[in-house]
Amino acid sequence: CSVCRDLILICPSCRKTLYEFHCDRHQRWKDAYFTFLERFTLEDLEKQKKTLQSLHDSIYLPAKKHKNVRKTLRKQMEKITTRQMDVREGNSVVEPNAKRRCRTCFESEDICDGRCWGFWKHTQSPQQERNGDGNGNTLEPIMEVKVGDRVTIGPNWNEIRLGKRKSQQDPIRLGTVVNIKSWASGGDELDC
């Protein structure tokens, strides 16, 4: 879904005619909420913004009950306003024949096979393979680890949850693997 990113089963004929997909919960938004705005003219964007505003202000979304939904609508309206300014100032152009792109990896359909996320993820996305993680670092392959191996902290260490990278007693912060849990790594038959 373009809004919530839930999985949707789409028939081949609908897949050919729809630019972006919306789940049952977001069917009211299907004419106004789009992740990729490059194919829309200024008039289309204005129409989308008015529709989103009417959804935002309607009794369909009581203020106290649906705070996050209303916030999502406001953020989309801000995104549309930014896009309109970019087109008016000449920083962006309308691309009416823009290819449909993946909501997860942002690649076009001719590059993304749809298995770029979740437990279906079979490789790094083409964007990650070409550019690394966005910080100038290239992604390394996952290395096999066995019980008893000595390991050190990697670049994605969560200091808030797991503590500081270094301490007075252990400046390098080494650890020993005591248990291996397989979860969506594709590594073995126990993988779910």
Side-chain angles (χ1 to χ4, degrees):
C1 174
S2 274
V3 181
C4 63
R5 296 173 72 176
D6 279 354
L7 287 178
I8 306 171
L9 183 61
I10 305 288
C11 71
S13 62
C14 290
R15 187 169 179 80
K16 290 177 187 172
T17 58
L18 297 172
Y19 184 71
E20 291 188 23
F21 312 119
H22 296 80
C23 65
D24 284 342
R25 220 174 3 166
H26 296 112
Q27 281 301 301
R28 289 185 183 199
W29 303 18
K30 70 179 179 181
D31 296 322
Y33 192 102
F34 297 94
T35 303
F36 304 107
L37 301 175
E38 65 266 6
R39 70 186 189 98
F40 297 106
T41 64
L42 290 172
E43 296 78 26
D44 294 336
L45 292 170
E46 191 60 38
K47 183 179 174 187
Q48 288 175 25
K49 194 159 64 167
K50 285 180 182 176
T51 304
L52 292 170
Q53 187 66 51
S54 68
L55 284 169
H56 181 274
D57 297 340
S58 72
I59 59 169
Y60 156 70
L61 296 171
K64 290 186 179 185
K65 264 182 121 174
H66 298 281
K67 187 168 88 172
N68 288 337
V69 175
R70 293 162 57 83
K71 182 179 176 183
T72 299
L73 290 169
R74 276 194 307 275
K75 286 174 74 176
Q76 182 68 11
M77 288 185 281
E78 290 169 9
K79 182 178 169 183
I80 290 171
T81 301
T82 302
R83 173 70 181 166
Q84 287 174 317
M85 287 190 324
D86 285 347
V87 170
R88 283 188 188 112
E89 293 170 0
N91 297 330
S92 297
V93 294
V94 177
E95 299 175 37
N97 297 322
K99 292 181 180 181
R100 182 180 10 215
R101 294 193 286 156
C102 174
R103 174 79 166 79
T104 302
C105 69
F106 297 95
E107 295 289 349
S108 63
E109 280 188 324
D110 54 347
I111 295 173
C112 178
D113 62 2
R115 292 180 288 175
C116 60
W117 66 280
F119 58 86
W120 292 279
K121 189 171 187 173
H122 55 85
T123 63
Q124 297 165 347
S125 74
Q127 184 72 22
Q128 289 173 321
E129 287 176 354
R130 283 196 304 275
N131 301 332
D133 65 0
N135 297 322
N137 303 319
T138 54
L139 298 174
E140 298 176 10
I142 297 173
M143 297 176 67
E144 185 178 345
V145 178
K146 297 183 268 324
V147 173
D149 284 354
R150 295 285 288 164
V151 294
T152 186
I153 294 173
N156 298 320
W157 181 263
N158 185 337
E159 287 190 353
I160 294 170
R161 198 171 125 233
L162 303 169
K164 297 279 185 205
R165 289 178 177 271
K166 298 178 184 176
S167 68
Q168 296 277 343
Q169 299 83 7
D170 193 3
I172 302 176
R173 192 83 188 236
L174 291 173
T176 303
V177 176
V178 294
N179 188 8
I180 296 177
K181 295 181 181 179
S182 173
W183 187 81
S185 64
D188 61 20
E189 67 279 354
L190 300 175
D191 203 3
C192 48

